[in-house]
Amino acid sequence: MALVFLLIHVVLFCSPVLKAQKTNSSYFSWTKELKNELFHVRQYDKHARPILDSSEQVIKVDVRFSFTRAVFNEKDGILETNGWLGLRWIDSMLKWDPSVFGDMRNLKLISDLLWKPDIVVFNSVRGYDPMPPSQATLLHDGTVYYIPPLYLVTPCSPDLTKWPEGFLKCEIRFGAWTLDSTEILLGILENETKADLIHYENWSSQWEITETAVSTNSYFNCCNPYYQDVAVTVHLKRNSSLAEKIAMVSSAGIWIIVLFSYWMSPNSADRQAIGYSGIIGMTLILVIFLWKLPTGKNIPVLLVTHLVLLLQCGSNCAVTMMNRRLLRRSPKSAPYWVRRIVNTKILDTLTPRRDILAEIELNQAHIPLGTGNDSSTLLSSSSTVPDETGQPRLMQPRKTCISEDIDIWYRVASLFDRLAFSIYLLSFILVSAFIVVLYTTDK
């Protein structure tokens, strides 16, 4: 009984294994026989174009590119691309009847055994390297599928007008190096007008592919017969990084602080510190932008805007120093035309008067007292009465001509501040509106 169970076990479990081994042996046998027929019996020459007669002078080669990765190197201005180049053509010398070779309908081969079109990347920065060896699939009707993996480095010049945002358009051009239009005819596989993005992964958080296009071009001017290429156009969108966004927000804050510093007192030390801090901050932000600025065409609007802001921070310091110099003028009567300009109703609302008595007390320790009718004396119009010892005693001072001069120069300084504020605010509004319109308009 034990012997019977052992025989059943062998029949049930070992017969499928033996059948599979027989099948595999048959497959390898037919593969070996088919290769011998194609490459030895027929004396296949991989260096000659595979045509049987004069009616097959032109070999049609269909092209398709699949993206797996695309990263733009901003400093060098190059597009680094990983992908697969799909090529399909018919090799008339490698056809066979499947019924003769064990119903084999396809064959996997190393591409170096086959004739291949001399396709290169015309605009590669690394030279015109041939396609790398890879596995090829040969069908019984002579159709060859050759899909080599590629790492491409091609030049690309971005438009920096909207930097750090913006779009980038790059081209990858494939074409035959020596074969002209009388020998091969380039086309697009399955008539697809876009590149394959099924296996694409966004490896960069700043650049992402938004659109692709594939087209064929013919060059009639250079040669007769003409040459062709297949252009793969890729559109990428750039997203600003976190550091760039922080720098832009910081510059906007500096802009607003410097703007409202014009409403501070003309001789305020804090206002001068704000101007100097704005210059230092804007210089550092410009250094960051110049460090990250890619190679490309046109000047970024954002860079020009920050240069204008840097100049405005410098003008703020210049206006502040000029006003402090005005307030340090010697106590002499202001010119008549200055009084006429300052003492108007409109300017009264724009340049408020200071407390003259407080100004007198502030400057009293710095201006010596005089006697007689000296017009340069601070208290020349003050009243004096003798005290118990017979010495003159100072009475309450009045608003003098000199104190009025001090107030007039203060109002002149305030007038310069209001004019500078108006110019600064107008430029702020115009530049902000232009940037909003520019960045919200599609390219």
Side-chain angles (χ1 to χ4, degrees), residues 17 45 47 63 148 153 249 257 270 298 335 342 427:
V17 176
D45 185 3
H47 302 292
V63 180
V153 181
V249 172
I257 292 174
D270 294 337
N298 299 332
V342 173
S427 63

Side-chain angles (χ1 to χ4, degrees), residues 159-261:
D159 185 359
L160 302 179
T161 305
K162 296 183 179 181
W163 188 86
E165 301 287 340
F167 294 88
L168 179 64
K169 180 181 178 181
C170 302
E171 274 191 352
I172 306 173
R173 296 171 51 219
F174 300 96
W177 185 241
T178 59
L179 301 175
D180 56 46
S181 58
T182 63
E183 297 170 309
I184 67 169
L185 182 63
L186 295 179
I188 301 175
L189 188 64
E190 307 299 342
N191 294 323
E192 291 285 346
T193 59
K194 297 182 180 298
D196 183 15
L197 296 177
I198 296 178
H199 305 283
Y200 169 71
E201 295 184 10
N202 187 13
W203 293 71
S204 173
S205 59
Q206 285 192 330
W207 293 97
E208 59 178 341
I209 296 178
T210 59
E211 186 181 357
T212 60
V214 183
S215 62
T216 57
N217 304 303
S218 301
Y219 299 94
F220 298 92
N221 298 330
C222 70
C223 317
N224 187 18
Y226 63 89
Y227 284 80
Q228 289 182 298
D229 71 3
V230 175
V232 179
T233 305
V234 54
H235 298 261
L236 297 99
K237 179 183 178 182
R238 188 185 193 279
N239 301 313
S240 56
S241 63
L242 180 61
E244 293 165 348
K245 292 178 180 178
I246 292 175
M248 287 187 287
V249 172
S250 302
S251 61
I254 294 174
W255 201 336
I256 294 174
I257 292 174
V258 173
L259 174 65
F260 284 99
S261 68

Side-chain angles (χ1 to χ4, degrees), residues 262 319 322-323 326 411-421:
Y262 283 109
V319 171
M322 181 183 66
N323 289 342
L326 281 176
R411 298 184 68 194
V412 170
S414 299
L415 179 60
F416 285 148
D417 284 345
R418 301 303 178 265
L419 291 175
F421 173 81

